[in-house]
């Protein structure tokens, strides 16, 4: 068993693959072995997380996830912990493995109750064994059992930390979204710390969508079973390798990034040059050799005195054929007429924000974008879910319901690398499993951090990384900069950009 940390790349397996791995292992092992291992591992982690618990509540569902909880109850009871089990199953009606664990728990005099213990405190522990990978999407026609709903609410509001077995209950393994009727009430974060012990495999849900908040710290126990030849459906990104810099190098060795964006105040009364300057700052601090900025401002081109390294250029003075271009940050409507030239000429291109919106509204630009790959031109799109929805002709809820699939669709449709931003950003390229970024936190939810990401992708593309590696590495470093932020110090996009090289 080990804790999953963002530094190491890890394979992710969807529900179907996990089932196949489980079935193959179960066929080789004596009956009930996997559940016994799962329960023993759960009990071990529970004791490590709450060694002085006065009370442990184990909420067990009707299926085999509940069986894992019953098995853990047996071990914790035997170790002397005061355990209370609430079980949604019925003796004689549970799946065979869960039935056997119920019998073992019953024989060990585990205490069963109809309601959770009322007096849980912060030193106690809840074990969530209600639902695992057997959860189906549900829907309007499937009203959850009232006890299931009540126990999910009690777990959400619990002052005691929660250890989820395999998955936080209600979360769909493949998408990181809740099944119908099983989402926590309101948008409030849980009251106490969350831990998840994933069994056999890591599932995508633990790292994207609603999964990050629900899962908390993630642990993996493979139950002594290797995935064999089963291919992962996605990867959790690890730390990017540091870029080696030869002593005998010069500013031209690390590439030139040109940021095109920042509609001027004069055009529509919406001054957005800050977005382009943030992207440029990120490119600079992300290691680009030279950074040029073409602000889309009819009026004056102000010198950014705080960043004198930035070289201001008019758009038509850019030699697009030899630049890595980051296009769209704060581009407003002014970026639209420039896109045909940028799409045709830039050998390496990052498209963000208003460039994406312009492309979403224009089939001719979409064709131009898709044609770039055949010419060997690299492209990275960095949409947030609404921009992704516009590009795909979907709504935001549809994109969020299947984040991995949406990122793959974007990559395949436009033959490029797509970064679907949000909690657990997804990076996809055609024909390969996508990657989910494990770093970052809610402090990134502030204006301008997306521009910083686009600039950093540009810097990494310019320095010679493959488009997918540039994007995945930039996401990881951008999130890591936020994870290392000092408590009590405001995270602003400009400070984030300056920290990228730290
Ligand atoms: N077998 C083994 O060897 C091993 C199994 N392992 C463990 O088993 C877990 C998988 O067990 P599982 O397949 O029994 O499914 P599980 O997650 O308990 O859920 C099934 C229950 O959910 C219910 N339900 C479904 N959708 C619903 C909805 N929308 N809303 C409400 N309810 C819904 C469904 O109801 P039904 O559709 O049958 O009416 C059924 O009662 C896995 O995650 C791991 O923890 C490990 O120990 C390794 C060895
Ligand atoms: K669970």
């Amino acid at each position: 068993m080990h804790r999953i940390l963002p530094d190491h790349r890890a394979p992710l397996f969807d529900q179907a693959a996990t089932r196949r791995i489980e079935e193959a292992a179960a066929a080789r092992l004596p009956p009930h072995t996997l559940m016994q291992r799962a329960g023993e591992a759960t009990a071990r982690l529970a004791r490590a997380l709450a060694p002085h618990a006065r009370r442990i509540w184990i909420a067990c569902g009707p299926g085999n996830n509940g069986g894992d909880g019953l098995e853990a109850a047996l071990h914790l009871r035997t170790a002397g912990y005061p355990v209370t089990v609430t079980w949604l199953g019925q003796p004689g009606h549970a799946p065979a493995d869960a039935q056997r664990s119920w019998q073992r728990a019953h024989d060990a005099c585990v205490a069963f109750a109809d309601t959770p213990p009322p007096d849980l405190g912060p030193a106690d522990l809840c074990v969530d064994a209600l639902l695992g990978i057997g959860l189906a999407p549900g829907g309007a026609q499937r009203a959850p059992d009232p006890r299931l709903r009540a126990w999910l609410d009690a777990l959400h509001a619990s002052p005691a930390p929660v250890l989820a077995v395999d998955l936080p209950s209600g979360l769909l393994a493949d998408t990181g979204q809740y099944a119908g009727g099983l989402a926590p009430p309101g948008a409030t974060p849980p009251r106490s710390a969350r831990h998840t012990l994933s069994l056999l495999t890591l599932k995508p849900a633990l790292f994207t969508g609603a999964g990050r908040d629900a899962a908390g710290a993630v642990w993996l126990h493979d139950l002594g079973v290797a995935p064999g030849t089963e291919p992962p459906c996605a990867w959790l990104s690890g730390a990017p390798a540091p870029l080696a810099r030869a002593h005998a190098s010069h500013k031209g060795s690390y590439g030139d990034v040109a940021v095109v964006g920042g509609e001027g105040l004069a055009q529509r009364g919406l001054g957005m040059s800050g977005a382009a300057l943030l992207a440029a700052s990120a490119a600079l601090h992300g290691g680009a050799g030279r950074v040029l900025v073409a602000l889309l401002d009819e009026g004056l081109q102000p010198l950014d005195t705080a960043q004198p390294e930035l070289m201001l250029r008019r758009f038509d003075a850019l030699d697009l054929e030899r630049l890595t271009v980051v296009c769209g940050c704060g581009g407003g409507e002014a970026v639209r007429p420039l896109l045909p030239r940028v799409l045709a000429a830039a050998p390496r291109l990052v498209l963000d924000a208003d460039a994406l919106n312009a492309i979403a509204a224009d089939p001719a630009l979409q064709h131009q974008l898709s044609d770039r790959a055949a010419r060997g031109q690299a492209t990275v799109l960095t949409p947030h879910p609404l921009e992704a929805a516009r590009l795909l002709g979907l709504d935001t809820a549809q994109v969020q319901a299947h984040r991995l699939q949406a990122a793959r669709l974007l990559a395949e449709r436009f033959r490029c690398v797509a970064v679907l931003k949000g909690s657990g950003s997804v990076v996809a390229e055609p024909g390969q499993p996508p990657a989910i970024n494990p770093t970052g936190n809610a402090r990134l939810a502030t204006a301008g951090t997306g521009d910083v990401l686009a600039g950093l992708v540009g810097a990494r593309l310019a320095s010679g990384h493959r488009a997918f590696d540039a994007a995945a590495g930039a996401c990881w470093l951008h999130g890591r900069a936020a994870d290392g932020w000092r408590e009590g110090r405001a995270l602003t996009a400009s400070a984030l950009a300056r920290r990228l090289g730290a």
Side-chain angles (χ1 to χ4, degrees), residues 65 128-132 165 167-169:
N65 193 248
D128 162 14
L130 288 169
L131 298 163
V165 181
L167 279 167
S169 294

Side-chain angles (χ1 to χ4, degrees), residues 245 281-288 452 456 460 477-478 481 485 494-502:
R245 287 193 169 223
S281 177
L284 198 59
H285 293 278
V452 170
L456 183 57
R460 295 183 74 78
L477 292 166
H478 182 260
W485 214 257
S494 55
L496 181 73
R498 286 194 299 273
R499 248 193 92 96
L500 292 173

Side-chain angles (χ1 to χ4, degrees), residues 259-262 275 296 325-332 335 339 350-356 451:
V259 176
V260 177
L296 308 182
V325 178
V326 177
C327 181
C329 305
V335 76
L339 279 167
V350 183
L351 291 166
D352 189 39
D354 293 318
L356 298 174
D451 304 309

Side-chain angles (χ1 to χ4, degrees), residues 88 143-154 182:
L88 283 173
D145 178 315
R147 287 178 304 162
L148 171 62
R149 184 65 263 177
W151 297 352
L152 286 171
D153 291 351
L182 299 182

Side-chain angles (χ1 to χ4, degrees), residues 57 84-88 111-117 147 150-151:
W57 169 36
T84 302
V85 169
T86 57
W87 187 37
L88 283 173
F112 283 77
D114 292 329
T115 52
R147 287 178 304 162
W151 297 352

